[in-house]
Amino acid sequence: MSLTITPLSPALGAQISGVDISRDITVEERDAIEQALLQHQVLFFRDQPINPQQQARFAARFGDLHIHPIYPNVPETPQVLILDTAVTDVRDNAVWHTDVTFLPTPALGAVLSAKQLPAYGGDTLWASGIAAYEALSAPLREMLDGLTATHDFTKSFPLERFGTTPEDLARWEATRRNNPPLSHPVVRTHPVSGRKALFVNEGFTTRINELSELESEALLKLLFAHATRPEFSIRWRWQENDVAFWDNRVTQHFAVDDYRPNRRVMHRATILGDAPF
Ligand SMILES: O=C(O)CCC(=O)C(=O)O
Ligand SMILES: [Fe+2]
């Protein structure tokens, strides 16, 4: 095995080479990738042409896969969802978010493969909740440690954009019914590394439960701005057949919406996670 890990910034991100993820990777490769993910939080692989079955097989080496309630998927491989600007309005990914925090057990991570890209534009940014948490002052960290926040599916999937056809409306209604707003800790402890990370995101977090509405609004505004500062984030300029693999437990991301009407197609396999604590 000749896996090479090249860190890309102090806060997070590393490029991985020397592994072909279209193959059924070895246990050693899997473990090395998992270690790299724990340390660097988002990994990038270049020149990895993978089909949906290979993508699902790779992702499934790290946990069971999630089938998304709203996004269309690859019919033969429903564990792989399709983000195609010709089919789906993906504008709501142009907000800093951690995936599916409206679930009691948000995703552990996701594997995203670039299929078709605009000539330029359409970059994606990730930010480290660990770096953001560690940079806060001790009194603020101490206060946040005891707080919980509400996460709401409808904040990033508003009815106006996801209920346009009767079919979509029925799916949206069912998803809302099955996913009422819920609470997660504001500071999450990584279940494997034990590191603490800020775990609120603009995409889904609506309220810090223990504070007044005014306090909650002001503090969330501060935390959203702090968490996504340039020094805690990284911006990836995609090439076709790039694959990104992020730890969704301690990061958030933002898909820049600067390329329409050009088409952009991405495939994502999402790995199920556990309840934040
Ligand atoms: O399209 C992208 O680059 C990322 C979209 C996104 O938010 C996701 O796949 O979770
Ligand atoms: Fe996302």
Side-chain angles (χ1 to χ4, degrees), residues 9-32:
S9 90
L12 82 171
Q15 193 169 332
I16 308 289
S17 57
V19 59
D20 173 1
I21 66 170
S22 71
R23 290 185 296 102
D24 198 9
I25 55 170
T26 64
V27 172
E28 291 75 24
E29 286 170 331
R30 184 220 165 273
D31 291 349

Side-chain angles (χ1 to χ4, degrees), residues 212-233:
S212 74
E213 186 134 7
L214 197 66
E215 291 168 340
S216 164
E217 201 181 308
L219 186 55
L220 281 179
K221 194 170 164 201
L222 168 74
L223 294 178
F224 294 157
H226 172 78
T228 57
R229 286 177 60 91
E231 61 269 38
F232 311 138
S233 70

Side-chain angles (χ1 to χ4, degrees), residues 72 82-90 263-264:
I82 305 169
L83 298 167
D84 179 348
T85 52
V87 177
T88 307
D89 185 344
V90 296
R263 189 173 176 192
R264 182 173 180 274

